[in-house]
Amino acid sequence: MATRDILVLYYSHTGAVRQMAQLVARGIEKVPEMRARLRTVPRVSSVAEAVEPQVPDSGAPYAELRDLEECAGLALGSPTRFGNMAAPLKYFLDTTSSLWLKGTLSGKPAALFTSTASLHGGQESTLLSMMLPLLHHGMLIVGLPYSEPELMTTRSGGSPYGASHLAGVNADQPVSEEERRLCIALGTRLASVAMRLAP
Ligand SMILES: Cc1cc2nc3c(=O)[nH]c(=O)nc-3n(C[C@H](O)[C@H](O)[C@H](O)COP(=O)(O)O)c2cc1C
């Protein structure tokens, strides 16, 4: 069987969501024949003339629309910004109208992950609001079931709506063991569903 890619598309400013993306990717690659394709998006600026370089200095390449076309599923990760996803990711999603018109993403599975500074700072609202554009695209949302025991025992991140992490006010909290397991479980679940749905 041909290898299939799952797009792990994320934005991260201070590194927490990037770390989660790598764990989700690890979970994806536990499923035979499934491969994670890590992509990020450039920052956006209120200064219209300011542009990012075409290729990032380090880390994952910037996403293109063809990444969404080619992949069998999507894991979307963003820091929480005022209870919602970060603007750079929203900006990229706002360029996907041509895919929406063609129904390119319709029927593909998607999963969400986020990181916050504070425990009740909006992890769940961010995960839920990140689902909205994906539902408009006809994507099938994959969450985390309570058969994952860490959902009951976590003292920081982790939600049935997706993976999450409490990074702390100084962005210095390591990904806890429960958060780590749930990121991996989310990637594995997404890739398993994609495998079952793929033609
Ligand atoms: C403009 C802005 C808004 C933020 N809003 C929230 C928020 O609503 N709740 C929260 O807990 N943290 C908030 N944060 C903190 C980030 O979500 C948190 O530091 C996150 O872990 C950053 O992820 P990253 O390291 O991948 O960039 C905000 C940060 C910024 C810069």
Side-chain angles (χ1 to χ4, degrees), residues 42-56:
R43 286 180 303 173
V44 292
S45 166
S46 55
V47 182
E49 293 78 23
V51 288
E52 288 278 312
Q54 292 270 306
V55 178

Side-chain angles (χ1 to χ4, degrees), residues 94-112:
D94 285 356
T95 68
T96 59
S97 308
S98 59
L99 303 186
W100 173 75
L101 282 167
K102 290 186 283 185
T104 306
L105 297 176
S106 185
K108 292 186 185 182
L112 296 318

Side-chain angles (χ1 to χ4, degrees), residues 151-163:
L151 279 187
M152 280 297 195
T153 57
T154 182
R155 292 280 175 253
S156 49
S159 150
Y161 312 126

